[in-house]
Amino acid sequence: DAAGALAAGLQARPAVAELAQRIGATQFIGYDRLESDALLRAILKGEQLVKEAKEGEEVEVALDVTPFYAEGGGQVGDQGTLSGPEGLVEIAETTRPAPALILHKGIVRQGRIREGDRLHLTVNASMRQDAARNHTATHLVHAALRDLLGPHVKQYGSLVGPNRLRFDFAHFRPLSSRDIDDIESTVNEEIRRNESVSTEVMSIQDAVAKGALAFFGDKYGEQVRVVSVESFSKELCGGTHCRQTGEIGLFRIVSETGVAAGVRRIEAQTGSGAYSQIKTLEAEVRQLTDLLKVGQVEIVARTRK
């Protein structure tokens, strides 16, 4: 379970446990902004806490506040840059190795950084936006599955990155191609409606009373964040989302497979990823028409022959 994994992780990295104790919490301020200034509290090089790091060195840094989303709730961590008075760090991943501590992992690209520096933080906006598209789409998929298949559908895990989404759920048989079409069309209809996506923080009791879906095996604090898409979807979620469903643009299911007894997996793409998937299929159809020397409308009949 998550708490056990966290305890094991902290045992494996005593430097992180020491750091978490020494500097306390990192305040996440990234729900509504992608840039901020922050104080560099600590630099970790491998398992060593150091006072400074130079060009070419790989580091993990802890700050007092950050707009960088740390990997969690299925969503990958943010990437971006930290720039200081004497150096620049390119951040490749953001993690939360202890409940209140956020670490920014990357390489010093120029100059050097020192403990106590004031840094300017910039999150890679297009990657964050693409991840938000996929995260909001994941909530729409979950609601569509429950509508079409029944309330026995429960989320068993998800992965939300800038380039794709993966959603695992409880269901007793493979989805038919008609089911897949229905889910895809329901989600795209919600996107075209351009519904507003709202978030509010409330007690866990209020959230459950309002019908928000809580997840299997997750541990929740007293206060939770509820993400709602008008009347269509309501879930407990700490991730980042679009402001309107229309920002998702387009949704396409790439595959539907079984991953364990009674657990199915949908992989899908949104926005520019979904668009380029359509363009790839189009190019393949064009190659087939060239090979078979027929027009697009005759391609199926000719292939049957």
Side-chain angles (χ1 to χ4, degrees):
D1 84 327
L6 186 67
L10 288 176
Q11 271 167 354
R13 299 194 65 187
V16 171
E18 184 198 325
L19 189 60
Q21 216 164 8
R22 198 182 87 194
I23 71 166
T26 313
Q27 188 193 354
F28 173 64
I29 53 168
Y31 284 129
D32 45 20
R33 52 155 92 181
L34 297 176
E35 279 192 53
S36 78
D37 290 326
L39 176 69
L40 177 47
R41 303 282 307 275
I43 305 167
L44 202 54
K45 214 163 75 182
E47 296 307 307
Q48 269 348 97
L49 277 163
V50 296
K51 292 291 179 194
E52 67 167 49
K54 299 186 187 72
E55 194 166 319
E57 292 181 338
E58 190 171 296
V59 292
E60 289 172 277
V61 302
L63 309 159
D64 59 344
V65 298
T66 183
F68 281 69
Y69 180 83
E71 181 176 342
Q75 185 175 326
V76 301
D78 280 334
Q79 296 184 359
T81 57
L82 315 180
S83 60
E86 299 178 76
L88 177 81
V89 187
E90 194 177 300
I91 299 301
E93 57 179 314
T94 308
T95 60
R96 190 187 288 275
L101 179 72
I102 295 175
L103 286 183
H104 308 71
K105 185 178 187 175
I107 290 172
V108 181
R109 288 290 178 211
Q110 290 164 22
R112 62 177 172 182
I113 53 165
R114 295 176 174 185
E115 190 180 296
D117 278 354
R118 290 296 299 175
L119 302 178
H120 186 72
L121 286 45
T122 311
V123 172
N124 179 317
S126 66
M127 289 182 79
R128 162 75 83 87
Q129 189 56 44
D130 285 343
R133 284 188 178 96
N134 283 328
H135 207 151
T136 303
T138 304
H139 285 216
L140 298 182
V141 169
H142 192 187
L145 285 164
R146 289 172 66 88
D147 275 2
L148 294 159
L149 304 175
H152 66 276
V153 169
K154 284 187 179 58
Q155 177 175 335
Y156 268 24
S158 65
L159 174 73
V160 177
N163 54 342
R164 67 191 176 113
L165 68 92
R166 191 177 80 203
F167 185 78
D168 294 352
F169 60 99
H171 190 51
F172 39 81
R173 61 173 174 77
L175 300 188
S176 67
S177 52
R178 175 149 183 206
D179 291 335
I180 289 169
D181 285 349
D182 285 349
I183 289 154
E184 211 175 72
S185 99
T186 301
V187 171
N188 279 301
E189 200 171 308
E190 281 301 306
I191 292 169
R192 287 192 299 275
R193 280 191 180 138
N194 198 24
E195 309 238 75
S196 67
V197 182
S198 62
T199 57
E200 51 180 330
V201 175
M202 59 181 81
S203 73
I204 182 92
Q205 292 83 359
D206 285 352
V208 172
K210 284 188 174 183
L213 293 177
F215 298 120
F216 172 76
D218 277 13
K219 290 186 171 50
Y220 296 104
E222 268 310 292
Q223 293 286 304
V224 292
R225 192 162 169 270
V226 178
V227 176
S228 310
V229 180
E230 305 231 332
S231 57
F232 190 69
S233 155
K234 197 187 283 284
E235 293 189 13
L236 301 190
C237 180
T240 68
H241 286 272
C242 299
R243 289 200 165 85
Q244 305 278 141
T245 57
E247 290 170 33
I248 297 167
L250 179 65
F251 170 79
R252 298 265 306 160
I253 292 175
V254 178
S255 67
E256 189 273 345
T257 51
V259 285
V263 181
R264 308 298 302 172
R265 169 171 292 171
I266 279 176
E267 301 218 28
Q269 289 188 315
T270 60
S272 54
Y275 177 72
S276 54
Q277 194 217 354
I278 290 171
K279 296 309 281 181
T280 303
L281 288 172
E282 225 172 63
E284 285 171 357
V285 169
R286 206 172 297 123
Q287 284 177 338
L288 286 173
T289 60
D290 290 350
L291 281 171
L292 297 167
K293 298 187 171 33
V294 292
Q296 218 165 304
V297 285
E298 307 149 72
I299 194 166
V300 175
R302 177 58 63 92
T303 308
R304 277 212 181 95
K305 268 187 188 168

